Amino acid sequence: MRKSPIIQLVLLGVVIGAAAMVAALAIPWLPDVGSKEARRVDDLYLLTSVICLVIFAIVAAASLYAVIKFRARPGDDEDGKPIHGHTGLEALWTAIPAALVTVIAIYSGIVLVKNEDAVPNHRVIEVKAVQFAWSFTYPDLGVTTGVLRVPVGEQVELQMESEDVIHSFWVPEWRLKQDVVPGITTRYLITPDKPGAFPVICTELCGLGHATMRTSAVVLSSAAFDAWIEEERQAASAGGTAQGERVFADQGCGSCHVLAAAGATGQVGPSLDETLPGLSADAIRQSIADPNAQIAPGFQPGVMPPDYGEKLSDEQLDALVQYLMDATKG
Ligand code: CUA
């Protein structure tokens, strides 16, 4: 028994649509979801995907059906029938996409408004971007670190400034991206709702070391966050080697340098175990505060951020130098 063309078309559409649904939705294309804002973004993405999949199924089924059904048979070299369009059909396929795009626009607007809705008295963290590193300052705590730490379930606002060129702050699990532009302060509101360590990635090509401009965003329980703040305060008041060790870890020095004492294995810059022994405290201090003054053989100038001298207090710098001297004494 021959099926009617409409049933054949619908069957084709269902098969194609189902295959596309499996490819689009069953495979986890996106990273894990780590913030409230990310959940809203993903819902919008899902709605848009489903609309696209349905349209794809209809278009693909009609195309495939036409290719098979109306193909030129061998020996058939007649012209096709002249067709002058169909006003009703054209009105329909203009009206339906216009309505869908309007729905997506309204839904996007709602997501945007919700994601930018700041709760009163939220925590503010200052972010500095510089070729090629991130630093995070907790103004009410007087703590600056190279790794972003935030408590879970609490909205935080990053106030971001660049010291040189345009960078862009991105945590894939949080979904949102924001450019960091010299001369203005940009804002990034986020409510992390999943504990763990996530990558912070610069997504704006910003120079030679762009690919190395990465750090971590660590989402802690409220208790662990408070404990970390307390440790930072104690390390700062302890001074000396203990504080220096803390500064080395906080600033992420180990992601670029080898330092056996800290278990650091970074390969971007010179190994501290090899280059520091024999250097004076002043020379080490200069290498940190003015890294381009003297470049170790085999390395490029301009890769190490030039602003540690301003970012770190004198006390922090002294402590770091003392720690590095102790750690590389041999
Ligand atoms: Cu900063 Cu790329």
Side-chain angles (χ1 to χ4, degrees):
M1 196 185 83
R2 293 200 52 194
K3 296 188 187 82
S4 79
I6 292 295
I7 293 178
Q8 288 177 4
L9 252 177
V10 170
L11 280 176
L12 251 181
V14 168
V15 170
I16 291 169
M21 285 272 178
V22 169
L25 303 179
I27 299 171
W29 296 102
L30 299 175
D32 286 350
V33 179
S35 73
K36 264 191 188 173
E37 292 75 9
R39 286 169 211 284
R40 297 187 190 116
V41 170
D42 281 11
D43 287 346
L44 171 62
Y45 189 75
L46 180 68
L47 171 78
T48 314
S49 300
V50 168
I51 291 174
C52 293
L53 286 166
V54 171
I55 293 174
F56 171 74
I58 294 170
V59 172
S63 308
L64 207 60
Y65 180 82
V67 164
I68 296 167
K69 187 87 176 173
F70 305 116
R71 69 185 185 280
R73 298 301 195 280
D76 174 7
D77 48 11
E78 282 173 70
D79 287 341
K81 279 185 208 155
I83 292 171
H84 292 287
H86 187 292
T87 310
L89 209 55
E90 281 167 19
L92 193 70
W93 74 45
T94 305
I96 292 177
L100 290 176
V101 168
T102 307
V103 168
I104 294 173
I106 292 171
Y107 194 110
S108 303
I110 293 170
V111 169
L112 203 59
V113 167
K114 280 191 176 168
N115 278 1
E116 295 191 342
D117 183 22
V119 299
N121 303 319
H122 57 272
R123 186 185 298 275
V124 171
I125 300 171
E126 291 166 8
V127 180
K128 271 255 155 67
V130 60
Q131 290 170 318
F132 300 96
W134 298 99
S135 72
F136 307 95
T137 301
Y138 299 75
D140 43 339
L141 307 165
V143 170
T144 298
T145 75
V147 170
L148 175 62
R149 286 183 185 76
V150 288
V152 72
E154 196 187 293
Q155 188 185 54
V156 292
E157 176 180 342
L158 307 184
Q159 289 180 354
M160 309 198 288
E161 284 176 4
S162 168
E163 301 212 335
D164 37 45
V165 299
I166 301 175
H167 304 271
S168 188
F169 180 94
W170 184 40
V171 175
E173 285 78 2
W174 293 350
R175 297 296 187 269
L176 306 184
K177 272 181 190 175
Q178 176 64 56
D179 279 2
V180 187
V181 183
I184 61 173
T185 303
T186 49
R187 231 165 68 113
Y188 184 100
L189 273 172
I190 198 78
T191 317
D193 63 359
K194 192 177 169 191
F198 307 104
V200 172
I201 298 171
C202 176
T203 60
E204 183 71 48
L205 182 60
C206 54
L208 195 63
H210 161 69
T212 65
M213 192 166 164
R214 290 171 171 237
T215 182
S216 298
V218 181
V219 182
L220 299 164
S221 69
S222 302
F225 183 78
D226 292 343
W228 170 70
I229 293 292
E230 196 43 43
E231 275 172 42
E232 286 291 331
R233 283 201 171 123
Q234 280 176 6
S237 61
T241 304
Q243 186 185 5
E245 185 176 2
R246 194 83 196 175
V247 172
F248 186 88
D250 284 345
Q251 298 300 327
C253 309
S255 59
C256 290
H257 296 285
V258 170
L259 183 67
T265 55
Q267 296 294 330
V268 176
S271 157
L272 303 176
D273 289 324
E274 285 168 23
T275 51
L276 296 196
L279 289 187
S280 68
D282 283 346
I284 296 177
R285 202 188 164 98
Q286 191 197 33
S287 300
I288 300 166
D290 187 9
N292 295 320
Q294 219 173 352
I295 297 294
F299 293 90
Q300 296 277 330
V303 176
M304 175 155 162
D307 68 333
Y308 286 114
E310 298 142 45
K311 207 156 69 178
L312 300 175
S313 66
D314 268 355
E315 193 199 344
Q316 281 180 309
L317 262 176
D318 288 342
L320 181 58
V321 170
Q322 192 184 331
Y323 167 67
L324 288 173
M325 290 189 82
D326 285 356
T328 56
K329 235 173 3 208

